[in-house]
Amino acid sequence: MTQFIDCLIIGGGQAGLAMSRSLLDAGIENVVLERGSIANRWSTARWPSLRLLTPGWMTRLPGQQLAGREEGFLGAGDLAARLQDYAAGQGLPVIENIDVLALEKLGDRFRAVTSRGSWIARSVVVATGACDRPRIPSWGRDLSPSLYQIASTQYRGAEQLPQGGVLVVGASATGVQLGSEIAASGRKTILAAGSHVRSPRRYRGRDLFDWLDASGFLAQPTATGRSPAQLMAQPSMQLIGSDDNREIDLYSLARHGVIIAGHASGASGNVVGFADDLARSLGLGERRRQRMLSQIDAFIGSAGIDAPEDPAARQNTGLLMPMNGAIDLAGHGISTVLWATGYRRDYSWIHFDACDADGELRQEGGLCDTPGLYVLGLPFMRHRASSFIDGVGRDAEALAPVIAARLGASDALQAA
């Protein structure tokens, strides 16, 4: 059976839901196709203790505030339930448990072949998000079969891992949180760190995101001239959402017994090579931190806000003595390698020329170079908050009139 629709949205997470609501507000008929249940990844691909990095007041989508300031940092399961409630309450046209097997070009339209029939659409929004598939370095295949390998999307707790220590590869928010949790369980933990931004949880009396939002830092437009792959490779913040507002970074992990290493660069059997680049990575991260805090300070000064100085947040926390060189993991009691190396996007189901040499959709601000094809929910797509729940809603509201205008122009052309 083939069905027809003005706009087809692929993906039923926060991006797809925000897009659907924004298009309905613009009078555009649409349907959302979700391969699992609404907010599937929040339910199935996150560890139980995970909490959002952004505070409750930033958990908002078009037409609805999903959480309040007093609720702190939502857990992944709680967010999934609220997104499901949002879809129901807003009356969004979501079809769950349907796989999109192929997206094809059909003249000036698109055909989506699914596990439950086909759809012909005048426009398509790819809202599958940035966290599509774990990105595991190719040298992972060179590790010994005796080492247990697991991606962060599969991790559910230290107790599920084999006996022995753990090498966590990656030091963004995911890597440092998992490294902290695993070390707290009593296991020997090595963390291989690459690029990152050491970020304070609170600064000058408020949560960091209060300042980043108020100062306009999050709304800064994305710089032009960078490829999608370059934008998505931007270093992320080292943060954790917790009731006690604690901070997390390489220094605090080292104080709690985590062994810090430079980035892992290759392997042969049980031996992994760690680059001697941690000092450089720390230096770059500190400069990014200082630029961010300077922008907040400038905003506080220009707005005349009474907020106490925070010299401690400006200080470098000291030196780290990293592990580097070639290390025999078995000799160090390491039995597990946990990949916290980010994600890749898999667009192999798009059966026409829409991606660049890096496999990323060719797009600028969510508009792909294929007329009628759009994307939503990628990091730095339009601004710094484009991949945040709060930011994806703003992007959806910006894209909806663009989609509506193109569909209207197409109608007018046909009528003429």
Side-chain angles (χ1 to χ4, degrees):
M1 180 178 70
T2 299
Q3 301 183 67
F4 296 83
I5 195 73
D6 280 338
C7 187
L8 188 68
I9 301 168
I10 302 174
Q14 62 266 19
L17 300 181
M19 192 75 255
S20 180
R21 165 62 199 261
S22 299
L23 286 172
L24 289 177
D25 288 346
I28 301 301
E29 181 189 26
N30 67 85
V31 67
V32 181
L33 305 184
E34 167 53 49
R35 65 180 179 181
S37 58
I38 290 172
N40 181 63
R41 288 199 186 106
W42 288 110
S43 302
T44 64
R46 302 293 184 266
W47 65 96
S49 63
L50 173 66
R51 293 175 127 188
L52 299 189
L53 303 182
T54 51
W57 64 266
M58 285 186 70
T59 312
R60 54 193 175 192
L61 288 177
Q64 189 174 330
Q65 183 78 37
L66 274 63
R69 181 176 294 272
E70 72 284 354
E71 294 182 85
F73 303 92
L74 297 184
D78 190 0
L79 174 63
R82 294 182 191 223
L83 289 173
Q84 291 162 6
D85 289 345
Y86 173 79
Q90 299 290 327
L92 303 183
V94 182
I95 301 175
E96 298 178 283
N97 302 307
I98 180 170
D99 287 321
V100 176
L101 306 176
L103 183 67
E104 304 165 343
K105 203 73 174 68
L106 201 65
D108 61 351
R109 302 195 177 199
F110 301 88
R111 176 168 58 201
V113 180
T114 80
S115 56
R116 290 154 59 184
S118 297
W119 288 82
I120 303 296
R122 300 170 64 196
S123 57
V124 172
V125 180
V126 178
T128 51
C131 304
D132 194 2
R133 302 284 192 274
R135 186 181 64 225
I136 297 175
S138 59
W139 57 262
R141 295 191 294 267
D142 300 326
L143 287 166
S144 169
S146 65
L147 290 166
Y148 179 68
Q149 297 187 49
I150 183 172
S152 61
T153 53
Q154 301 166 304
Y155 173 84
R156 295 296 177 270
E159 67 280 357
Q160 81 174 113
L161 304 177
Q163 292 296 312
V166 180
L167 167 63
V168 178
V169 184
S172 64
T174 296
V176 292
Q177 288 183 61
L178 295 184
S180 176
E181 178 172 302
I182 291 167
S185 74
R187 293 171 182 262
K188 182 175 184 178
T189 306
I190 301 174
L191 180 68
S195 299
H196 62 275
V197 182
R198 186 174 67 93
S199 306
R201 180 70 269 176
R202 294 184 65 81
Y203 182 63
R204 297 187 68 169
R206 300 186 189 178
D207 186 87
L208 176 66
F209 279 100
D210 285 313
W211 293 124
L212 294 181
D213 183 68
S215 67
F217 183 89
L218 296 178
Q220 288 178 347
T222 299
T224 58
R226 294 185 180 183
S227 70
Q230 288 173 323
L231 289 172
M232 283 185 279
Q234 293 293 298
S236 59
M237 296 181 180
Q238 290 176 334
L239 278 173
I240 187 170
S242 62
D243 291 335
D244 58 2
N245 292 306
R246 69 184 176 97
E247 297 188 7
I248 190 168
D249 57 31
L250 300 184
Y251 301 97
S252 64
L253 291 180
R255 288 194 295 271
H256 287 88
V258 177
I259 300 169
I260 308 299
H263 88 268
S265 56
S268 177
N270 285 315
V271 177
V272 173
F274 297 103
D276 186 14
D277 62 354
L278 186 61
R280 178 178 179 275
S281 296
L282 289 171
L284 290 173
E286 280 305 309
R287 287 195 284 276
R288 295 184 185 102
R289 174 189 177 95
Q290 296 302 328
R291 285 197 299 268
M292 177 176 64
L293 297 184
S294 292
Q295 184 164 333
I296 293 172
D297 289 340
F299 165 73
I300 292 172
S302 64
I305 298 173
D306 183 16
E309 295 285 342
D310 192 353
R314 284 289 194 169
Q315 294 176 358
N316 195 319
T317 59
L319 298 174
L320 280 175
M321 299 300 294
M323 171 185 284
N324 54 53
I327 305 298
D328 186 332
L329 296 184
H332 282 75
I334 302 299
S335 60
T336 297
V337 176
L338 194 160
W339 301 104
T341 40
Y343 300 88
R344 62 181 178 85
R345 274 59 54 195
D346 178 10
Y347 299 121
S348 59
W349 47 275
I350 298 180
H351 292 182
F352 53 89
D353 182 22
C355 296
D356 60 21
D358 297 310
E360 303 291 353
L361 285 170
R362 295 191 300 270
Q363 57 87 23
E364 186 170 345
L367 282 71
C368 296
D369 62 6
T370 301
L373 184 68
Y374 308 88
V375 63
L376 187 66
L378 300 181
F380 300 97
M381 194 183 81
R382 297 176 72 91
H383 47 74
R384 291 181 182 273
S386 281
S387 61
F388 296 173
I389 296 167
D390 174 55
V392 81
R394 295 203 301 273
D395 283 1
E397 291 172 328
L399 276 179
V402 176
I403 297 172
R406 180 182 180 277
L407 292 174
S410 176
D411 288 339
L413 208 63
Q414 291 180 11

